[in-house]
Amino acid sequence: MPTGGIRLGALHDAASAGPDTEHAAAASLFAAGILARLDGPILWVLRQADLFAPGLAGAGLQPDRVVFAEAGKTVLAVMEEGLRHRGLAAVVAEHTGRLTLVASRRLQLAAEQAGILAILIRRSPSFDDPVLTQPSAAVTSWRITALASPPALPHAPDTPGLGRARWRLDLTRCRGGEPGSWIVEACDATGRLGLVSELSDRSSRAA
């Protein structure tokens, strides 16, 4: 990414992939890990009250830092209003359905003017919903796929083990940069991702 990381004062969007596309658990934890490393209060705008706050704490984002707003069908309007409050460190919103270029540009402009991080979590009942790949004004777009955690079982390699959860992070769009894909260990209690140890060892040997 041209700035070396997630740019503040900008809109970013994220969606889970596969069966988790509807519930967006991986995408929410990905966002929580980013937010855990910021200082200040967070506004999290919900369409409905189905977010598990202790899960956010497991990714480093303590619930007492978060103001939750249940907004129903007015999620984008509430998000835009939240981005006008400069006392916030970030605004997150969960959106289902089509996101127009006009709506995303309004959010990007509001985030840029306030210097506040904006993360839009995209949800859909269908994992291959075409609206998730339509162009938007977001600076980066991410898809997060939950993978089986280790150790792998010889007779059931796709069954999650007891180790740290794993994700495949796909950066599908990046303004001024290039898309990419990484296999990582999911956010720990400090909000940080980890490089999968086998890949790390392989990189060391190759170097």
Side-chain angles (χ1 to χ4, degrees):
M1 290 184 285
T3 58
I6 296 292
R7 197 175 99 193
L8 304 180
L11 172 68
H12 306 267
D13 69 41
S16 292
D20 186 39
T21 306
E22 180 176 6
H23 304 290
S28 297
L29 292 175
F30 174 69
I34 295 170
L35 300 172
R37 286 171 276 155
L38 300 179
D39 294 322
I42 310 295
L43 174 63
W44 197 301
V45 187
L46 305 162
R47 184 180 177 90
Q48 58 191 29
D50 63 352
L51 186 65
F52 187 57
L56 302 183
L61 181 60
Q62 298 305 318
D64 60 2
R65 291 186 53 210
V66 185
V67 177
F68 298 100
E70 189 175 344
K73 295 181 180 180
T74 63
V75 165
L76 297 182
V78 174
M79 182 182 195
E80 185 177 349
E81 180 64 27
L83 289 168
R84 296 194 178 102
H85 293 269
R86 297 176 183 269
L88 295 172
V91 178
V92 185
E94 301 177 5
H95 177 64
T96 301
R98 183 168 175 261
L99 177 68
T100 66
L101 270 174
V102 171
S104 63
R105 284 171 180 153
R106 288 178 65 95
L107 295 172
Q108 166 58 26
L109 182 60
E112 188 175 347
Q113 289 178 338
I116 294 174
L117 176 65
I119 301 177
L120 189 64
I121 297 173
R122 310 290 302 277
R123 298 176 62 167
S124 173
S126 174
F127 72 90
D128 57 354
D129 191 340
V131 304
L132 298 177
T133 59
Q134 289 177 338
S136 79
V139 172
T140 64
S141 294
W142 300 83
R143 293 300 294 269
I144 300 94
T145 306
L147 304 177
S149 52
L153 303 176
H155 60 284
D158 294 329
T159 300
L162 299 177
R164 187 170 165 185
R166 288 182 175 180
W167 295 334
R168 188 182 77 230
L169 296 183
D170 292 308
L171 177 59
T172 59
R173 290 196 305 270
C174 181
R175 188 186 302 171
E178 297 181 1
S181 183
W182 302 267
I183 304 298
V184 300
E185 293 178 329
C187 297
D188 62 14
T190 66
R192 299 191 178 278
L193 301 169
L195 183 65
V196 172
S197 58
E198 301 96 284
L199 299 179
S200 178
D201 292 343
R202 191 179 307 145
S203 298
S204 298
R205 289 195 295 270

